[in-house]
Structure formats: structure tokens, C-alpha cells
Amino acid sequence: MIRRFSTFCLAAAQLAVFTQSSLANDSADLVLRNGTIVTMDEARPAAEALAISDGRIVAVGSDEDIEKLVRPDTEVLDLGGRTVIPGLVDTHIHAIRGGQTYPFETYWHDETSLASALEALKTAARDRASDQWVAVVGSWHPDQFAERRAPDVADLDKTLPQTPAYVQYLYDYALVNTKGIELLALDSAAPKLPPGITIERNEESRATGRLFGNIGSFNVLFGQLSAIGMNERKANLQVFFSHLNAVGVTGFIDPSAGPATGYEPFFALRDEGGLTLRAGYRIPAAHPGKEAEWFREIMSFRPAVHDDGTLSFLGLGESLVFAMNDGVQMGPGFAPPKEARDELLKVAQFAAERRIPIEIHAYTDDAASAILDVFEEVHKTHPLNDLRWSIAHLNTGSEPTLDRMQKMGLAYTVQMGPYFEGAAIADANGTAVAAVSPPTRLAIDKGLLVAGGTDSTRIGVAGVWQAIEYHLTGRSLGGTVQKASDQLLTREEALRLYTRNAAWIAFAEEDRGTLSAGKLADLAVLDKPYMTMPVDEIDTIRSVLTLLGGKVVYDAGALRSAEQ
């Protein structure tokens, strides 16, 4: 990899990498020099320096070339050899919903033992009232722990005898401790649970503390446990967005934030000028049944795509017809009824007629096949090739499915579910399927446009770098599944999913995705050399400086002004 990157840099040096622009009259407001700039621009893939004026990049090239744009009032930062990349864009993250409870939750994805994980919950409880919950809501796997097991109710009771605790394992089940059983009245005739949650009971018909549900019902239940006001939700969103900025993320697309009320704190924060990244969102179906009618009504008031530079509306996602959504099914056998297929046909025909973008959920190859049956029917009268429609997840997607997508020009937005779910995918489909899940390598080789997401915060790790590392190692959490070497991506390919290709999915390729003259100065200066560092440490990368349109949205204070 180091030799390949050296060749990459040498080839770049042989190109005329310096491009001046008439913008700012050949001068710069800010210059970054003495760095390793990974531009993701095929015409000039690497450089040493770049210049920014009025929020846009005006030149990229050698230190000597960029020096020509320095004026007495130009700020010059010495990168000290650090790597610069285009700002990362997460194309599938439930940021609007997950961000509102980000400081409330405890995250276990970095814990290596059950003992330390439980201790993290205990720490979270110290500053909370006795009736205030502590919670872990997905993004962990028993195989990551040295003990190789999940917690049980006895573990939660021992750790937190007086504090209600909620631990959700992906969307498979949730545990509450004895205090939680009490607060939710699980042993009463009227448990305080939303529809769709069922209670496991022992032989005496008493609650064991284990709850079962689905994506929607678990999200409603956690919303009940974490109920907070508008101002706190806005503050939590700001904390979450700052976390994303600190790892170099400058944009995201949220495929579905749940009920309409979930968008209100986000829109309020945006109206107050509180967004520190470029946010895109899609709208899902609100209720099962007559989804096409609902989409026609809601879209009567909206253009197909709208982007004001900070906030963009990007169409429909990810649950378009409830009965066509296979949730988090791991294995084969999903067979939606004809009524659901007919309803999706109505939705897809309407979207194609109006040229409305779509991203649709399909965990399994069976779900994707059913969706493609509908899309192919629409494609006969309304070609989909240039609509930028995409299928998300596709954990068990097959070669025939990818071929069908390619023929219609569909894109593939890949997430990191199999990082956590690799063992479950192997159990349900066999090791051969799990060894190529998700089929990112195959999709790229077939010429599909592949863009990257995390699916955080429930089935992914917010911040992109863990997802990038997974594309490079192919190793699921705990090492239960290891992809073959021919299924892995190169570092350039993995980064492209979250830069150039992500910008394309967002209809923003003219402004973002590469570091080239004329583009917005959305970029991150990294604390580690992404292109040459050990691959299994990539998840530790952080930003030392993140710019959004040339403005600082995160600064670790690690860079010094160069002498002028």
C-alpha cells in the first residue's frame, strides 16, 4: 500500500497540479501548505498545498505554486506534512433522530470487555436522578467482549441496583433491569409500553426483563425513555454535530428521522444558524397503507430536490411502503404481498414522473428482488438511469441483483451493518454469503455508483472512519467473519465512497467531493496519515482542523501559522 501511494504521488507530481482561478484575483484568504493533500480529483490526485478565497478553493498545487497567491493579509497554515482530505459525507445516517439523544446514550462499540461496558453504564448513572434511565441503544455485539457473551438482567441489577437501565441489542431485543421493570410496570395489567413491544415472561408469568419488537416500536420505546424538551434536543444535536466535525465529517444525508416531530428541533437549530455541516434529508412514509396517496399530498408542497447550500431536501427514503420493508431480516424468505408491490409501483411511478430521488431499504436479496421487479416496470415508461435512485444496505445482494441495478443506472448506498451482524448473516445464509457481505467490491467492479454510509447510531458507528476501516479489513466485530482479500477495497476506493460518490448522491458534485479549484472549501486536516498508516488503526483517525466553506467548524489547535 505504501509503494502504491508513492506511485500515486509521483504520478500526481508529473501532472500540472496547479490551477489558478480568476476568483479572488489570484490571491487567497487562507493557504494550507507543506501537506499531503489527497484531492480525490482524478485529474490531479495529490498536491502539497491549496489556497482558499471567499469559501472556495482557488488553487491546488505545489508549495511553490501556491506561494504566488499569498498576500500580506493571507493566513498561512503549515500542515507539517499532515494529510488533507475532502470533508467526509455520511450518505446514510439517522443523525436527526440519533443526534437528539447523543449525550444521553452510552456507546459500547469501543468496549473490549463486558466488565468495562457495564462500568461505562455505571459511570453514566452517577450524574442522573434515580428515576432517569441509562441506555445503550445498539451498535455492539457480544463477540467484541472478552467474555464472549451479552449482559443479562442479573448483570444490570448488580451494576445498577437503583437506576433504570435499558440495553438494546441492534433491533433483536432489549433488556431492562429490575428497576426498569418496575418503572415500566411490566408485571402490571397495563405495562407502559408502546404498541409492537412484547414482554418475555417466565413460568410464573413475571417479566424476565427481555423485550422484543421491531425498528419502529423500539424507536418509539426509546423515545419514551429519553423524553426531553426542545431546547435540550437542539443542544444535543449541536454536541453530536461537533463530534462529527471533530472526525472530519462536513455533511450527511438522513434517510428517515421517524415521525414529523423528530424534525422540529433540527429545523429550529438550522433556522438559528446552528448547523456546522451540510445536512440533507429524505422523507419516509408516515403510516402503513395508502403510502402513494400520502407521498402525493406531501410532495405537492415540495420541489423534487432543493438545496440552499446548508440544508437540502433529497426526496424519499428509506421506507416507502411499510410492507415492502424487510427490516433487519438476515436470511432469505422475505415475500411481500401483491398489495404491497402494487403500492410501491404507485409510489415509484409518481416519483419517476416527478423526477423525485429515492433511496429504498433492502437488507436481503429477496427484498431487493421484489423492489427491482417494480422498478423495472416503471423503467419501461420512465427511464430511471439519471434519477439517482439507490438501494440501501443490500447485505446479501447477489450478482444478478447488482446486474439488474446496473442496467437501470441505480446506485448502491452501502452501510456497516455486517460489521455488527456478520455472525447472524452467516447463520442465516451460510459462510459463503457472509464472506461477501456487503457486496461492495462486486458492485464497484460492475460499475455501480457506490456511496458510503454508516447507518448509525443504532447499527453503525458515527464518524465514518470505522466504516472505512471495515471496507479495508473486511473483518466483522469480534472477528467472527473475515472477507477474502479479493473482496476488500483500496484506500482510495474506500475514501471515494464518502467524498466524490457521496457528493454525487447528494446532487452536489459540482460543489463538493474533491479538492479542486472552484469547489467549496469543505475539508479536514487529519492527525494521522490515512494513506500509509496501519489499516487496523484507521478508526482512530481524528481531524485537527475541519473547514466548512473555508470557515473553521473544528480546531484542535495543532496547526501553527507559517512565517510569511
Side-chain angles (χ1 to χ4, degrees):
M1 177 58 70
I2 293 174
R3 286 198 302 271
R4 180 157 65 245
F5 184 57
S6 297
T7 303
F8 164 81
C9 291
L10 179 60
Q14 293 171 344
L15 292 169
V17 296
F18 174 64
T19 303
Q20 287 195 2
S21 169
S22 59
L23 297 174
N25 298 317
D26 295 337
S27 64
D29 302 327
L30 173 65
V31 162
L32 306 181
R33 60 176 301 277
N34 186 28
T36 300
I37 300 178
V38 182
T39 68
M40 301 310 295
D41 180 2
E42 293 177 352
R44 45 185 67 85
E48 296 175 315
L50 61 79
I52 298 167
S53 184
D54 293 332
R56 292 187 179 266
I57 298 168
V58 294
V60 180
S62 68
D63 285 338
E64 182 180 357
D65 287 331
I66 299 302
E67 184 67 24
K68 299 172 184 176
L69 301 183
V70 175
R71 298 293 181 263
D73 59 346
T74 300
E75 181 181 7
V76 180
L77 295 180
D78 187 336
L79 298 173
R82 291 180 177 86
T83 298
V84 181
I85 62 168
L88 299 169
V89 178
D90 189 330
T91 66
H92 190 106
I93 174 176
H94 298 276
I96 297 172
R97 179 191 68 206
Q100 292 177 40
T101 56
Y102 177 69
F104 177 85
E105 299 178 43
T106 300
Y107 295 91
W108 278 358
H109 48 71
D110 284 335
E111 300 294 344
T112 57
S113 74
L114 179 56
S116 64
L118 292 169
E119 187 62 29
L121 267 183
K122 188 175 182 178
T123 299
R126 288 174 184 164
D127 297 327
R128 302 195 182 182
S130 60
D131 61 346
Q132 187 176 19
W133 292 79
V134 293
V136 178
V137 194
S139 295
W140 62 276
H141 192 282
D143 288 337
Q144 77 189 74
F145 301 140
E147 298 88 345
R148 292 282 173 169
R149 71 174 182 89
D152 55 27
V153 174
D155 294 318
L156 297 181
D157 282 345
K158 182 179 179 180
T159 304
L160 297 162
Q162 301 299 325
T163 301
Y166 176 88
V167 175
Q168 182 178 312
Y169 173 58
L170 303 177
Y171 285 105
D172 291 9
Y173 67 85
L175 292 175
V176 295
N177 62 355
T178 299
K179 184 69 173 180
I181 291 173
E182 175 188 329
L183 289 184
L184 290 175
L186 299 188
D187 284 325
S188 74
K192 299 176 182 178
L193 294 174
I197 297 293
T198 59
I199 304 168
E200 181 184 80
R201 298 189 181 278
N202 61 21
E203 295 177 354
E204 290 79 36
S205 295
R206 296 188 65 81
T208 66
R210 187 179 292 258
L211 304 173
F212 298 99
N214 54 43
I215 293 175
S217 59
F218 275 133
N219 286 339
V220 173
L221 174 58
F222 180 63
Q224 172 185 319
L225 305 183
S226 60
I228 52 178
M230 169 74 84
N231 289 336
E232 190 172 355
R233 290 187 177 276
K234 287 192 298 181
N236 289 349
L237 280 170
Q238 285 187 303
V239 171
F240 183 58
F241 295 159
S242 294
H243 163 72
L244 295 180
N245 295 149
V247 294
V249 175
T250 58
F252 71 79
I253 301 174
D254 192 316
S256 168
T261 53
Y263 293 84
E264 293 174 3
F266 170 68
F267 289 147
L269 180 64
R270 181 260 185 185
D271 292 343
E272 296 166 8
L275 292 186
T276 57
L277 30 64
R278 304 188 197 279
Y281 72 100
R282 306 181 194 270
I283 54 174
H287 307 287
K290 297 185 178 180
E291 290 92 343
E293 180 180 322
W294 186 83
F295 278 125
R296 284 185 179 276
E297 290 182 4
I298 199 74
M299 288 304 299
S300 296
F301 303 93
R302 295 175 180 270
V305 177
H306 178 72
D307 188 349
D308 67 8
T310 301
L311 181 65
S312 57
F313 169 67
L314 297 171
L316 316 183
E318 74 187 284
S319 182
L320 307 187
V321 173
F322 277 76
M324 290 293 294
N325 189 323
D326 63 346
V328 290
Q329 182 167 327
M330 297 294 155
F334 181 71
K338 182 180 184 302
E339 294 78 10
R341 297 168 187 255
D342 291 344
E343 192 67 19
L344 180 60
L345 180 60
K346 295 176 186 176
V347 173
Q349 284 177 329
F350 165 66
E353 291 167 0
R354 283 279 310 275
R355 302 185 63 80
I356 300 168
I358 279 176
E359 182 191 51
I360 189 167
H361 172 113
Y363 242 53
T364 62
D365 196 56
D366 287 344
S369 180
I371 290 166
L372 292 173
D373 288 344
V374 172
F375 284 7
E376 285 168 345
E377 188 65 28
V378 175
H379 185 65
K380 292 176 183 178
T381 55
H382 295 86
L384 308 182
N385 301 77
D386 63 345
L387 298 186
R388 306 196 191 191
W389 286 15
S390 61
I391 295 181
H393 310 302
L394 206 57
N395 293 341
T396 60
S398 66
E399 187 169 355
T401 289
L402 295 172
D403 286 336
R404 295 173 71 186
M405 292 171 62
Q406 195 274 336
K407 288 178 182 177
M408 289 186 285
L410 302 185
Y412 172 31
T413 56
V414 62
Q415 291 78 47
M416 58 185 303
Y419 174 71
F420 292 98
E421 300 163 335
I425 292 171
D427 289 344
N429 302 274
T431 56
V433 172
V436 294
S437 174
T440 316
R441 172 80 273 158
L442 184 59
I444 291 173
D445 290 346
K446 286 184 173 294
L448 275 76
L449 189 291
V450 183
T454 62
D455 205 17
S456 57
T457 56
R458 301 291 174 260
I459 309 182
V461 180
V464 173
W465 290 112
Q466 184 67 69
I468 288 178
E469 181 178 307
Y470 176 52
H471 288 304
L472 300 178
T473 67
R475 185 168 56 250
S476 68
L477 187 62
T480 53
V481 174
Q482 174 62 63
K483 283 188 171 186
S485 59
D486 63 359
Q487 295 298 310
L488 306 181
L489 305 190
T490 68
R491 299 192 191 211
E492 295 93 337
E493 287 174 328
L495 187 59
R496 188 177 300 123
L497 303 187
Y498 300 89
T499 53
R500 284 185 60 180
N501 293 3
W504 185 89
I505 282 287
F507 290 79
E509 70 273 19
E510 296 299 319
D511 282 326
R512 296 187 273 151
T514 66
L515 300 178
S516 51
K519 295 287 183 74
L520 288 165
D522 293 2
L523 59 84
V525 182
L526 307 181
D527 66 345
K528 297 181 180 71
Y530 166 69
M531 297 298 293
T532 57
M533 67 183 292
V535 68
D536 58 358
E537 296 177 10
I538 284 174
D539 67 294
T540 68
I541 290 176
R542 299 294 180 265
S543 177
V544 299
L545 182 71
T546 304
L547 303 183
L548 186 75
K551 295 181 179 179
V552 176
V553 290
Y554 176 77
D555 186 356
L559 299 182
R560 61 181 178 83
S561 296
E563 295 181 2
Q564 300 179 33

